[in-house]
Amino acid sequence: MSQIKLGVLVALEEGPEEALAKVHDLGFSTCQVVCWRDHLFTDAVAERLRAAADRTGVEITTLWTGMPGRYVWDFIEGPSTIGLVPPETRQERLAVLKKGSDFARRVGVPSITTHVGFIPENPADPLYAGVVAALREIAAYCAANGQSFWFETGQETPVTLLRTIEDVGAANLGINLDPANLLMYGKANPVDALDIFGTYVRGVHAKDGEYPTNGRSLGAEKPLGEGRVNFPALVAKLKALNFRGALTIEREISGPQQIADIQRAKRLLEELIR
Ligand code: MG
């Protein structure tokens, strides 16, 4: 019997009760809660989210914390807009991550996750030292709240992510592996990426996608099973790594087709995690 659990990504913006009801009604025991609007990080919303989790018995594995300001999800403006890399928004965004960490503590969630951004491949790039310093700060803040900080994969190569973790040097760092992102950003084969940073993987987004086909735009996201992620190989390697976390289904569309794709992904993954 595998120790791997299944979950689904839901948004706090849907409402704490609605989000957790969706997880429960779809038949999942875990979820990640994503939030891009830090005005929701209040004591009252935390109390409602905790109560909804208790009532439904759903385990929230991480608070996926979006940060404010302009994000452009491409290869042209992405490096200067995403995550903690752009210096002009770094302090404001760091403050929101801390707010997210405090909110997660009140809910009883053991980690926060975010996209750090296009971490420079060259460690001598002047941006790199600032990113490492910001990560040390948020890692220490999360540690004081009894939490881990997880990197959402995507914009950086696996070896750059591994070097960053080594350079930050905190004990509470982990990776939320989004295998589709590694393809869509053209950074790595996600199965092979586990050979580089597999021991740091604490969470996984079950999302599928394709490599880019031009030098400006991300590759396409796909329903799970229709993209290039080799989920049988990925899950087998996670089992070999003794991964005990959750595969959290992420499908970046909305409406009835999203629900249908999530249900199909759940059936496919249930076969694989047995
Ligand atoms: Mg993801």
Side-chain angles (χ1 to χ4, degrees):
M1 183 69 188
S2 162
Q3 309 262 7
I4 299 177
K5 298 169 275 193
L6 293 186
V8 65
L9 190 72
V10 288
L12 189 59
E13 288 88 340
E14 299 172 41
E17 295 81 11
E18 290 79 359
L20 274 281
K22 179 178 173 183
V23 178
H24 181 259
D25 293 349
L26 283 166
F28 292 101
S29 59
T30 82
C31 71
Q32 295 188 4
V33 174
V34 57
C35 179
W36 282 88
R37 295 175 193 272
D38 65 290
H39 70 83
L40 292 174
F41 293 152
T42 65
D43 289 352
V45 174
E47 204 38 61
R48 284 169 57 195
L49 185 58
R50 182 192 267 272
D54 287 347
R55 197 163 52 241
T56 53
V58 169
E59 176 194 0
I60 304 171
T61 53
T62 199
L63 178 74
W64 204 108
T65 311
M67 296 179 279
R70 184 165 171 264
Y71 280 66
V72 184
W73 306 102
D74 69 14
F75 302 132
I76 305 304
E77 292 190 271
S80 55
T81 62
I82 296 176
L84 293 172
V85 176
E88 56 282 351
T89 48
R90 191 179 292 143
Q91 288 311 312
E92 181 197 358
R93 288 178 173 177
L94 207 45
V96 167
L97 283 183
K98 290 176 181 175
K99 223 172 141 181
S101 170
D102 289 340
F103 178 84
R105 177 179 47 78
R106 287 194 292 267
V107 181
V109 177
S111 69
I112 67 167
T113 302
T114 202
H115 273 304
V116 174
F118 284 78
I119 302 171
E121 197 71 24
N122 176 2
D125 185 314
L127 286 174
Y128 182 70
V131 172
V132 169
L135 287 166
R136 281 200 188 118
E137 194 174 325
I138 189 59
Y141 198 90
C142 287
N145 274 335
Q147 294 159 343
S148 302
F149 177 86
W150 296 352
F151 296 77
E152 170 88 7
T153 62
Q155 294 93 21
E156 61 293 299
T157 59
V159 73
T160 290
L161 181 49
L162 181 61
R163 184 188 308 113
T164 304
I165 289 172
E166 291 167 354
D167 287 348
V168 174
N172 61 329
L173 299 178
I175 292 172
N176 189 63
L177 169 64
D178 186 321
N181 281 349
L182 286 177
L183 290 162
M184 291 159 63
Y185 284 84
K187 294 298 183 182
N189 175 317
V191 179
D192 294 345
L194 286 175
D195 294 329
I196 299 172
F197 60 42
T199 56
Y200 285 99
V201 173
R202 301 289 177 268
V204 173
H205 278 170
K207 187 173 96 184
D208 212 342
E210 291 287 346
Y211 280 117
T213 54
N214 66 69
R216 295 166 180 273
S217 317
L218 306 191
E221 193 219 348
K222 289 286 180 72
L224 197 143
E226 294 179 23
R228 204 183 289 237
V229 177
N230 184 342
F231 276 97
L234 187 81
V235 172
K237 204 173 263 190
L238 287 167
K239 285 179 182 170
L241 284 161
N242 210 18
F243 173 72
R244 303 281 177 93
L247 306 179
T248 304
I249 297 169
E250 178 179 16
R251 179 69 175 118
E252 299 189 292
I253 59 171
S254 56
Q257 190 59 50
Q258 186 204 37
I259 300 299
D261 289 347
I262 290 170
Q263 286 168 328
R264 180 157 162 263
K266 181 170 182 278
R267 288 193 294 273
L268 288 167
L269 294 170
E270 279 166 349
E271 291 296 315
L272 297 179
I273 64 169
R274 282 185 199 206

